[in-house]
Each structure stands twice: as structure tokens, then as C-alpha cells.
Amino acid sequence: QVQLVGPGGGLVQAGGSLRLSCVASINILGFNNIDWYRQAPGKGREPVTGTAQNGVTDYADSVRGRFSINRDIPSRTVHLQMNSLKPEDTGVYYCHGRIINDDYWGQGTQVTVAS
């Protein structure tokens, strides 16, 4: 069974940094892509950033230049480094992985940015 576990998150002041981690139960190269989504209060889930199997990354315009996604293949971990955090970055962050047509989600972790 494929599982994604995402430790990290918490409360931080605006301008601060946090790092989220997503640990997979299998080799992360087995995923077609691994992404981070977030869901702000009262809003739908939106993509934040992702990394494809070949290592190509993509970012939402709202986080480009502030967030960085990195893979640590030996530890089966994908990290999301979040810098210069803003109150509008507040939400529940989810790790997501896709293998062909199957989607796998982490349990979600709360990130709160205080102004």
C-alpha cells in the first residue's frame, strides 16, 4: 500500500519560514509526480508546487520565488521549503502523489501565518 506522511507545519509570523516534508512508503521515483496542494479556510484545494519524475518542477504564481520543492531520494522524502511567508499562505497543506491513474494523499498539515 502506498502511503504519504507529511510532518511539519505550525504557526509562524509573516516573513518567517517553514519546511514541510512528505515521506513516501515507496521509492519516490515510482511516482509520476509528487505535488503539494493547500486549502485555505472556506476555499477549495489548490496546487502549490510539484515535481515530476524527471525532476522538473513547477510553481503557482503566488509562491514562485518564495517556495522551493526538493527531493531526497534515499530517504523517500519530498520537502517543501516555504520562505517569506504571508498570511494568505495560511491553510492545510497536502502532499499528493500520482502513479499512472492512482492518486495518493497525505493526511494534511496546518500552516498558520500570523500577521
Side-chain angles (χ1 to χ4, degrees):
Q1 182 179 4
V2 178
Q3 291 182 319
L4 296 171
V5 180
L11 172 65
V12 65
Q13 293 293 317
S17 298
L18 278 175
R19 188 174 81 159
L20 306 182
S21 300
C22 177
V23 184
S25 59
I26 64 169
N27 186 333
I28 59 176
L29 294 179
F31 291 90
N32 296 108
N33 54 277
I34 294 182
D35 316 289
W36 285 95
Y37 283 73
R38 69 185 178 190
Q39 186 165 14
K43 296 187 177 180
R45 196 172 295 188
E46 63 175 2
V48 175
T49 180
T51 179
Q53 195 175 52
N54 61 4
V56 174
T57 59
D58 194 19
Y59 297 90
D61 289 342
S62 60
V63 307
R64 186 172 288 113
R66 300 187 297 120
F67 289 13
S68 177
I69 186 170
N70 296 286
R71 302 186 302 185
D72 183 348
I73 296 171
S75 70
R76 305 190 312 275
T77 303
V78 176
H79 298 289
L80 175 61
Q81 178 66 42
M82 305 184 293
N83 299 325
S84 301
L85 282 161
K86 304 176 181 180
E88 51 263 43
D89 294 318
T90 294
V92 179
Y93 283 69
Y94 297 91
C95 178
H96 163 264
R98 172 166 288 181
I99 301 176
I100 305 178
N101 293 321
D102 293 325
D103 292 295
Y104 301 91
W105 290 92
Q107 78 275 23
T109 186
Q110 177 69 43
V111 171
T112 302
V113 184
S115 58

